Amino acid sequence: MIKREFKVNFKSFLIWLSILIIIFLIVYLLYPYIITDDTVRNIDEMMKIFPTEVLKAFNMDIASIETAYGWVKTEGVMFILLITGFYSSILGGNILLKEENDKTIEYLDSLPIKRNKILTNKIIVGITYILLFTIIFGLFNYICLNLSGDFSQKQFMLLSITPILVGIPFFAFNLFISTFMHKTKKTIGISLGMVFIFYIISVISELSTNIEFIKYFSLYTLAGTRDIIANTTMNSLNIFISIGISIIFIALSYIRYNKKELL
Amino acid sequence: MNDVIVRLKHLKKYYGSARGIKDVSLNIHKGEIYGFIGPNGSGKSTTIRTIMGLINKTDGDIYINGVKLDGESIEIKKIIGYLPSEINLYDDMTVKQALDYHELFYNKDLKKRRNELVKLLKIDENKRIEDLSLGNLKKVGIVLALMHEPEILILDEPTSGLDPIMQSIFHEILIKEKEKGTTILYSSHVLSEVSSICDTIGFIKDGVVIKEDSIDNIKKDNYTYLKITTKEIDKVKKELNLKIIKESNNEIVLLNTMNINELIDKLSKINIDRLLIEEIPLEDLFMNYYK
């Protein structure tokens, strides 16, 4: 069964991974032509116009976009986290619910297999794909950055791990939400909306110290990219919270799925 | 009786205040074919899905092999073969892949029985599930329900989409299953479809099992049509007090549910020109339950 799960979910994995790779490939290929002495001067001028809070929201106060790696630390990491968020959320929302949406659950649930086993298989496949997504994209990024110039390898490694800290909780949260639904159409909207809302919360929280507390309402805070870029360290608390949130929502999904009416 | 394999006791299922099933009690004995008859929306599929654990019962008890079902049971699922009314399989698979996939869930070799059924039902294993017609999909569903040689077969409207020849082959398969000792719950809204192979019939109406009896007893019921020609139509109505099927000037057709002696006694009080007593067809009897 698990083999089939990998096969069924491979296509969306490939599509989302390709989207991210294509975006980055375009940037890496064009960057040497975009970033010249003149454009760097223009960017510097432009940066002076922006308030510090706005620059902070995009890590531009602690990183420069003069190099490809600089772009990764600012806008690049934003793309990585957003797209991993989308992929993980949609995967979590669909992986289990697809059986109900396609009405194959009536067949699957009549087989001698426990619902817990069905769920466990789907969770293993989902998490494996999120890890593979991060690893494969990290490798791609590593090769491209190696070709484009010097960069901090430790910092890059830490930044490359951050999508996992966000992706798995997104997956677990949406998996839990999906146990209340019967159609995937509804969960896709919820998944995408949630990623946007959490991302906007994390950006807004950087705009003023007065509203900084709202960052605790966003899963994107778990990425902790500012710490990594500024200090080349990862806040271990974020790792524990990410694991904790994932465990809680996965446990709730088991409880809920065992009681769920499947038709 | 101790050979009851499937027993439902006052099973209820409500969706909020909406009725799924109100009171379903039935007993299916080992090795019998039980016809579960009712019109569309009467609660047949809800009952079956509750037995299968796909939906949760609101109240009542389900016993399989004497064991009260309370939550999931892999052991019970292993001995059940289930054919839903609308079969939905994985579209991306071929028939062969679907049958291979099914085999993975049972720790025994299913090849022999699988091949027999595929041959009997004339199934092309190389076709993709998404390309199958409704009838061919149903045939694959039949193989899936039967290939692990279950002790209990639960079939929900199994012949919908099958042509008459295939229906006949399917019924022959079921009779052979019965001979092997398999217990079969056969749901249908067409009585004539099941009356030839069933041992017992349970009629369900508006979520309630209104009658459960052996097919022989049902046929033995003294239900007859009385066609009476008389000038005393009003007296006939008053004396007999039976359900009127048809009425014209001097002729009335009634559904007789009285025993024959009582009937003769009452008829003797009426001046009758002509009397015709006909056996009621099973289909009409079925319709009578639902009027």
Side-chain angles (χ1 to χ4, degrees):
Chain A
M1 188 193 168
I2 203 159
K3 201 173 143 191
R4 173 170 167 76
E5 284 302 323
F6 275 113
K7 192 185 158 198
V8 170
N9 291 289
F10 181 69
K11 204 170 154 188
S12 68
F13 166 77
L14 208 60
I15 291 169
W16 283 104
L17 185 63
S18 303
I19 290 171
L20 198 54
I21 285 178
I22 288 167
I23 292 171
F24 273 68
L25 198 60
I26 292 169
V27 173
Y28 286 139
L29 290 173
L30 297 180
Y31 222 71
Y33 302 101
I34 298 168
I35 299 298
T36 60
D37 290 345
D38 282 346
T39 50
V40 169
R41 265 196 301 279
N42 288 338
I43 290 166
D44 285 343
E45 289 300 315
M46 203 169 68
M47 301 270 272
K48 284 172 194 165
I49 303 167
F50 286 120
T52 326
E53 288 79 8
V54 173
L55 296 177
K56 211 175 144 193
F58 297 97
N59 295 334
M60 284 179 178
D61 59 329
I62 49 173
S64 156
I65 56 168
E66 287 172 21
T67 61
Y69 183 55
W71 179 82
V72 169
K73 288 192 285 185
T74 53
E75 291 169 16
V77 77
M78 177 188 85
F79 277 117
I80 298 169
L81 291 175
L82 267 177
I83 289 177
T84 310
F86 286 139
Y87 172 61
S88 308
S89 291
I90 292 172
L91 186 64
N94 278 359
I95 199 160
L96 191 59
L97 198 57
K98 198 177 182 309
E99 301 279 0
E100 279 173 77
N101 190 67
D102 297 349
K103 295 177 180 169
T104 48
I105 191 64
E106 191 164 17
Y107 165 68
L108 185 61
D109 201 54
S110 71
L111 294 169
I113 179 169
K114 288 219 172 229
R115 284 193 190 180
N116 279 348
K117 182 85 186 291
I118 295 174
L119 188 52
T120 303
N121 283 343
K122 301 223 179 227
I123 291 168
I124 290 170
V125 171
I127 291 176
T128 306
Y129 268 130
I130 293 168
L131 294 176
L132 279 175
F133 189 92
T134 309
I135 292 166
I136 295 172
F137 183 73
L139 280 173
F140 160 81
N141 235 354
Y142 182 77
I143 293 164
C144 292
L145 286 173
N146 259 316
L147 295 171
S148 67
D150 288 339
F151 64 96
S152 160
Q153 299 220 355
K154 189 187 171 193
Q155 194 182 53
F156 171 78
M157 288 295 284
L158 293 175
L159 275 179
S160 298
I161 294 167
T162 57
I164 297 172
L165 299 183
V166 175
I168 295 177
F170 264 125
F171 172 83
F173 184 69
N174 281 280
L175 182 76
F176 174 62
I177 295 289
S178 79
T179 61
F180 291 90
M181 311 275 174
H182 292 289
K183 294 277 172 201
T184 51
K185 215 195 273 182
K186 284 182 187 169
T187 56
I188 290 173
I190 292 171
S191 305
L192 295 179
M194 212 176 64
V195 172
F196 274 123
I197 289 167
F198 282 159
Y199 189 74
I200 289 165
I201 290 173
S202 77
V203 169
I204 292 172
S205 70
E206 299 290 351
L207 296 180
S208 163
T209 47
N210 293 333
I211 53 165
E212 201 186 345
F213 71 94
I214 65 166
K215 71 179 181 183
Y216 298 111
F217 296 100
S218 168
L219 287 178
Y220 276 111
T221 305
L222 295 172
T225 50
R226 285 187 66 77
D227 259 358
I228 296 170
I229 295 163
N231 312 315
T232 316
T233 55
M234 185 178 263
N235 187 347
S236 54
L237 186 63
N238 286 353
I239 300 171
F240 289 119
I241 294 173
S242 172
I243 293 170
I245 288 173
S246 304
I247 289 173
I248 288 168
F249 283 115
I250 285 172
L252 289 172
S253 301
Y254 275 106
I255 295 167
R256 172 73 199 144
Y257 193 59
N258 273 296
K259 291 177 183 167
K260 192 179 185 187
E261 302 230 338
L262 297 177
L263 289 167
Chain B
M1 286 172 75
N2 54 10
D3 67 339
V4 173
I5 294 293
V6 180
R7 169 172 288 165
L8 306 184
K9 276 175 79 179
H10 305 296
L11 199 62
K12 291 178 180 63
K13 172 65 194 171
Y14 283 87
Y15 300 96
S17 60
R19 183 272 295 172
I21 46 174
K22 277 197 277 195
D23 185 4
V24 173
S25 295
L26 50 86
N27 296 291
I28 307 175
H29 298 89
K30 185 168 171 54
E32 78 169 344
I33 302 182
Y34 187 103
F36 194 39
I37 307 295
N40 295 330
S42 56
K44 299 188 298 294
S45 294
T46 305
T47 304
I48 285 174
R49 286 169 173 175
T50 311
I51 298 172
M52 294 304 298
L54 289 155
I55 51 179
N56 306 323
K57 62 184 171 53
T58 307
D59 201 6
D61 296 315
I62 302 168
Y63 296 87
I64 307 273
N65 265 348
V67 179
K68 188 174 169 181
L69 275 192
D70 209 4
E72 267 190 309
S73 168
I74 295 300
E75 292 313 307
I76 295 294
K77 281 184 176 180
K78 271 184 190 166
I79 62 162
I80 292 180
Y82 173 51
L83 178 66
S85 55
E86 276 176 49
I87 180 143
N88 290 285
L89 301 171
Y90 299 110
D91 277 351
D92 58 306
M93 288 182 174
T94 62
V95 173
K96 186 182 178 306
Q97 286 168 335
L99 299 179
D100 288 344
Y101 183 69
H102 190 82
E103 280 196 51
L104 298 174
F105 294 89
Y106 298 88
N107 297 322
K108 55 181 179 178
D109 185 18
L110 312 179
K111 285 275 182 302
K112 189 171 168 273
R113 184 63 178 144
R114 165 184 165 169
N115 292 338
E116 279 171 11
L117 291 163
V118 165
K119 204 175 158 189
L120 270 170
L121 295 164
K122 300 180 178 71
I123 293 171
D124 179 357
E125 286 197 52
N126 297 314
K127 277 203 167 181
R128 286 176 72 83
I129 296 291
E130 62 183 349
D131 296 333
L132 294 178
S133 65
L134 178 65
N136 282 326
L137 193 59
K138 203 81 180 192
K139 282 161 40 179
V140 176
I142 292 168
V143 179
L144 293 173
L146 286 159
M147 66 192 269
H148 59 283
E149 302 189 75
E151 290 174 33
I152 302 165
L153 262 175
I154 296 180
L155 313 167
D156 193 1
E157 307 273 359
T159 53
S160 59
L162 291 184
D163 61 54
I165 298 168
M166 220 22 95
Q167 279 191 26
S168 167
I169 293 171
F170 174 60
H171 281 180
E172 281 169 28
I173 293 171
L174 292 188
I175 290 164
K176 280 185 186 157
E177 283 294 323
K178 185 194 155 183
E179 285 166 3
K180 284 195 289 185
T182 310
T183 307
I184 303 168
L185 170 62
Y186 189 131
S187 139
S188 175
H189 60 271
V190 186
L191 180 63
S192 58
E193 183 191 319
V194 296
S195 60
S196 58
I197 59 163
C198 283
D199 304 288
T200 306
I201 290 187
F203 292 98
I204 182 169
K205 181 188 179 186
D206 298 333
V208 180
V209 171
I210 51 170
K211 187 173 175 69
E212 185 188 45
D213 209 341
S214 71
I215 190 86
D216 293 337
N217 282 343
I218 287 170
K219 282 179 179 169
K220 259 191 263 171
D221 273 345
N222 291 321
Y223 288 10
T224 48
Y225 282 142
L226 300 179
K227 195 174 178 183
I228 302 168
T229 310
T230 176
K231 290 182 183 72
E232 299 176 341
I233 294 284
D234 288 340
K235 198 174 175 188
V236 169
K237 286 188 205 170
K238 195 181 164 193
E239 280 294 327
L240 301 181
N241 194 24
L242 292 172
K243 187 174 179 180
I244 301 164
I245 304 294
K246 209 163 73 178
E247 187 183 352
S248 60
N249 276 346
N250 292 326
E251 195 175 272
I252 190 164
V253 180
L254 301 163
L255 176 73
N256 174 38
T257 51
M258 279 187 271
N259 78 47
I260 198 74
N261 293 325
E262 191 187 357
L263 179 68
I264 290 168
D265 187 41
K266 289 194 172 180
L267 287 173
S268 65
K269 296 171 190 164
I270 308 163
N271 188 10
I272 294 171
D273 296 330
R274 191 166 178 264
L275 171 68
L276 190 66
I277 302 175
E278 281 179 347
E279 193 175 327
I280 181 167
L282 215 48
E283 280 305 309
D284 285 11
L285 179 67
F286 172 63
M287 291 306 290
N288 181 52
Y289 285 126
Y290 295 101
K291 274 179 185 167

